[in-house]
Amino acid sequence: MKTRMTELLGIEYPIICGGMFQVGRAPLAAAVSEAGGLGIITLKTQVTPEGLRDEIRKVKTLTKKPFAVNLNLFPSQTATPNDEFIDILIEEDVKIVETSGRSPESLMPRLKEHGFTVLHKVANVKNAVSAEKLGVDAIIIVGNETGGHPGMGDVGTLVMLPRAVDSVNIPVIAGGGFSDGRGLISALSLGAEGIVMGTRFMATQEAPIHENVKQWMVSANETDTVVIQRNIGSPSRVALNAVSKEVDKLENEGATIEELIPLITGQRSKKVYFEGNLDGGIWSCGQSVGLIKEILTVNELIKQIVQEAKNSFEFVQSRIESIRT
């Protein structure tokens, strides 16, 4: 399955595991890369530069294939020392980064000087065009279905993706609502060079989160998520639970960011991911959760997606032939 994305990244299949706070750790990233996709570890999860170094080295003990590190540019209560993190990436010879949250303009000169391949995640076409001008190597464009940060536009992937493809010349990778081979073929047919999945990879055996979370995802449907934090200009699609319902209620009543912070702090998500308390905090989850029916190994999942994609392609071919006759 060769595309411009697989050629750019040196991977077998056009499938990326998106950078996920708390979840983007060595076991999952390495499993995705080893199975032929691109795994991503998140530096914000590692807290310190030396913590990132340790996690990178863990990945390298598990796979010799390419992987990436997410550079978090989102506003945060605590400053993210990205320059120090980049020092570690250079020293550890990591060559692929995903940037997200804000424009990577301030980081681009150093990243390109040291030969990094830069994938920049955006939630609208305007930012995709701007990122191309900065010299990023590929765009990840996410529609409103995505878990995490879908942007303020409320535009779904079906429209967002072809708009982005028509607006830039660099490879476009699609995110938001993808979980199987039918989605992969759909993305390719709309001009994408591959897909990024986060929610689907959470429900795998290698994902370093509590079994309660995975089982909830298997039983959930596409309506079991909600977009919160619109009032503070940082929309986030999360699982529907007691905390996200409370945040939604408070926002509708005009709550301030100071009133919301105790509920939306990322540290509370640890109670969900690692203790299995499904109402312990807010945690990112996309609408594709409604398509998850089983917990597979990462290798099984990627093989299944590839086979489904081939089956979908053959089905479309047969439909075209039936129309011709």
Side-chain angles (χ1 to χ4, degrees):
M1 299 186 73
K2 289 185 179 181
T3 69
R4 285 197 292 168
M5 173 183 142
T6 62
E7 296 297 303
L8 175 68
L9 303 177
I11 59 178
E12 187 175 358
Y13 303 120
I15 300 169
I16 295 177
C17 177
M20 296 179 282
F21 181 59
Q22 299 295 359
V23 184
R25 299 172 186 267
L28 179 59
V32 174
S33 291
E34 188 66 16
L38 182 77
I40 299 181
I41 59 176
T42 48
L43 62 78
K44 195 69 174 176
T45 299
Q46 311 312 321
V47 182
T48 67
E50 286 305 315
L52 175 62
R53 189 194 302 278
D54 290 342
E55 202 70 12
I56 288 171
R57 291 181 176 179
K58 288 178 185 176
V59 175
K60 289 181 175 179
T61 65
L62 298 170
T63 185
K64 303 303 179 186
K65 296 184 179 181
F67 66 96
V69 172
N70 170 270
L71 293 174
N72 186 309
L73 307 180
F74 283 97
S76 174
Q77 290 176 275
T78 57
T80 305
N82 280 314
D83 284 332
E84 295 178 39
F85 281 123
I86 292 173
D87 287 339
I88 299 298
L89 300 182
I90 294 169
E91 292 168 11
E92 295 298 324
D93 198 33
V94 175
K95 290 300 185 182
I96 306 171
V97 296
E98 175 197 55
T99 55
S100 60
R102 285 184 175 175
S103 170
E105 182 173 6
S106 64
L107 302 179
M108 286 302 295
R110 190 170 185 218
L111 292 174
K112 299 316 292 185
E113 176 188 353
H114 288 279
F116 285 94
T117 296
V118 182
L119 316 176
H120 184 58
K121 184 182 292 182
V122 298
N124 60 62
V125 174
K126 179 182 177 181
N127 289 343
V129 172
S130 297
E132 181 181 35
K133 291 177 180 177
L134 293 176
V136 305
D137 298 281
I139 292 294
I140 298 173
I141 187 98
V142 295
N144 187 250
E145 302 93 331
T146 192
H149 298 277
M152 296 291 286
D154 291 342
V155 179
T157 303
L158 187 63
V159 171
M160 184 77 78
L161 174 56
R163 278 279 290 117
V165 169
D166 291 345
S167 301
V168 300
N169 295 311
I170 57 177
V172 175
I173 301 159
F178 297 103
S179 68
D180 57 26
R182 295 170 298 179
L184 174 56
I185 283 295
S186 298
L188 295 178
S189 71
L190 291 171
E193 304 289 341
I195 59 173
V196 59
M197 304 190 305
T199 300
R200 184 61 189 93
F201 277 119
M202 289 173 64
T204 58
Q205 292 182 22
E206 291 89 345
I209 58 178
H210 200 281
E211 190 67 19
N212 289 356
V213 180
K214 299 178 186 182
Q215 292 301 328
W216 180 89
M217 296 176 79
V218 170
S219 63
N221 61 50
E222 65 278 6
T223 62
D224 287 326
T225 71
V226 62
V227 177
I228 59 173
Q229 299 177 198
R230 291 184 187 274
N231 289 8
I232 61 175
S234 182
S236 183
R237 184 175 294 282
V238 299
L240 193 63
N241 65 6
V243 182
S244 61
K245 289 177 182 177
E246 179 65 14
V247 172
D248 190 44
K249 173 177 174 292
L250 289 174
E251 286 193 275
N252 288 331
E253 295 171 354
T256 65
I257 187 171
E258 289 77 17
E259 293 172 307
L260 296 176
I261 282 177
L263 294 172
I264 65 177
T265 175
Q267 292 304 312
R268 288 190 58 164
S269 64
K270 291 182 178 180
K271 294 183 179 180
V272 180
Y273 292 136
F274 309 128
E275 298 176 19
N277 179 358
L278 296 175
D279 290 317
I282 63 168
W283 53 285
S284 297
C285 184
Q287 290 180 330
S288 64
V289 71
L291 299 172
I292 297 173
K293 303 304 178 189
E294 57 186 340
I295 299 169
L296 302 171
T297 67
V298 165
N299 188 55
E300 289 170 339
L301 175 61
I302 289 182
K303 285 183 177 179
Q304 178 174 287
I305 289 172
V306 171
Q307 186 59 53
E308 286 173 347
K310 292 177 180 178
N311 293 344
S312 295
F313 181 69
E314 291 170 0
F315 174 74
V316 171
Q317 284 184 312
S318 68
R319 292 295 295 271
I320 292 172
E321 287 302 317
S322 68
I323 293 171
R324 286 175 176 171
T325 57

